Amino acid sequence: MAEPLRPFRLRGCGGPQKFGVAAGSLRGLLRKGCRLLQLPLAGSRLCLYEDGTELTESYFRALPPQTELVLLGPGESWRGCATDIERLLAAFCGQQGAVVEAARRLLTDERAPHRQKLLADLIHNLSENILAENKEDDKKWFEGLESRFKNKSSYLRHSCESRMRGYMREVSGFISNVHPAARDAYRGIIDLMADKLKSVKYNGCYFDRREEEEAARLCTTEGWFSCQGPFDRDDCPCKHSINPYSNRESRILFSTWNLDHIIEKKRAVVPELAEAVKTRDGREVNWEYFYQLLFTLDNLKLVHIACHKKTNHNLSCDKTRIYRATKQTYVIS
């Protein structure tokens, strides 16, 4: 029995014109679309306009009527609606100054906050040079920085290293609050943490686009970073995001974002470490657990300055992980 016909909105990837086409199967829709847009059936395929997902027969049957689809000919690709935006910006490239000025005038309308956000993003994106990595390819990005930085990743790695060194100084500076009898043990743990930080280059790989496996934990390979919001919410309510590789303004703004300790460094982690060393009573302090809390993404999240919650988080260390578990020995009789 033939499948009932369902209507869809169809377009090619080369233009905005849309056509209404009804079909009961993916093959039938593909055949009608190729005739309509004069594309060869062999090698052509259909995908969602929204995100570029290529259709299968089972996926097609689950689509609601009037879904917008893109018909791709051999060799053509579609990355979703972002493709249309990129083409729009490319068309404006020769008149960039006029576009920016018109957008700025529209930004003065305080009654349209959503439009303000879109226009601000447009102005920002028109000045981006995300793919450039080296100084000679984006000299403006490096304005105000020391001459020793030759590429963007090296500067961002340096910034990350500076933050980690700062955390290490705070841990070291707390030694005056440690019980005198436990200070040597505390210094020993500081030395272990310092050696581990050096071995991983102070976690600067999180900001290196070439270290894709590590960077993927915090950002995409293109360098986008998202605000992870207040610690007690699922995500950032304002949807802050930034790409510090894009332009000088983004690089400067990114330096104001915070790496927030979920279990707080000063109120919880460091005092708990000092107490653990003092009361260890022959037990071995699990210094690697404290290292994770102080210096890794297990307890650090990137937060826009407006979303950084300064009040007490009221979270504490996991008491079961403060000391290393002792190995059980069994006597076989």
Side-chain angles (χ1 to χ4, degrees), residues 8-191:
F8 295 93
R9 290 177 293 161
L10 187 64
R11 56 172 286 182
C13 76
Q17 188 176 5
K18 301 171 188 176
F19 303 90
V21 181
S25 68
L26 176 62
R27 184 71 179 174
L29 182 60
L30 186 61
R31 189 180 296 109
K32 288 183 178 181
C34 287
R35 283 202 302 266
L36 184 65
L37 298 179
Q38 298 183 339
L39 290 173
L41 183 61
S44 293
R45 59 207 188 281
L46 288 161
C47 67
L48 294 181
Y49 168 78
E50 184 179 357
D51 60 9
T53 301
E54 191 168 332
L55 300 189
T56 62
E57 191 68 54
S58 59
Y59 194 2
F60 169 80
R61 287 195 293 269
L63 291 177
Q66 300 299 338
T67 298
E68 187 168 347
L69 304 174
V70 178
L71 176 59
L72 301 175
E76 292 181 328
S77 62
W78 184 262
R79 296 189 297 109
C81 56
T83 303
D84 270 349
I85 297 173
E86 289 173 355
R87 288 175 176 168
L88 174 65
L89 293 177
F92 281 140
C93 188
Q95 306 175 47
Q96 182 170 314
V99 174
V100 170
E101 180 56 33
R104 291 192 194 281
R105 287 198 297 270
L106 289 172
L107 278 172
T108 59
D109 186 357
E110 297 180 357
R111 295 170 297 177
H114 295 296
R115 186 174 69 187
Q116 287 181 330
K117 176 68 166 61
L118 289 171
L119 290 170
D121 287 346
L122 171 63
I123 292 170
H124 177 80
N125 291 336
L126 284 171
S127 62
E128 284 185 345
N129 195 2
I130 292 173
L131 297 180
E133 169 69 10
N134 298 319
K135 188 172 185 177
E136 58 267 23
D137 298 324
D138 193 355
K139 292 181 180 179
K140 186 174 178 60
W141 193 94
F142 292 85
E143 288 180 3
L145 301 182
E146 297 177 38
S147 60
R148 63 190 173 102
F149 298 114
K150 304 301 182 183
N151 57 63
K152 296 177 181 180
S153 294
S154 66
Y155 172 73
L156 290 170
R157 286 198 304 273
H158 166 75
S159 297
C160 181
E161 178 178 336
S162 297
R163 295 195 193 200
M164 297 299 140
R165 287 183 183 275
Y167 298 158
M168 191 76 250
R169 284 193 295 270
E170 290 183 58
V171 178
S172 301
F174 196 80
I175 196 166
S176 60
N177 299 300
V178 178
H179 191 279
R183 287 178 184 173
D184 286 343
Y186 188 86
R187 289 191 187 94
I189 288 176
I190 290 174
D191 291 340

Side-chain angles (χ1 to χ4, degrees), residues 241-242 248-257 304-305:
S241 63
I242 193 169
R248 180 174 178 269
E249 290 72 22
S250 291
R251 186 256 296 169
I252 294 172
L253 181 60
F254 187 63
S255 67
T256 68
W257 285 42
H304 185 281
I305 189 170

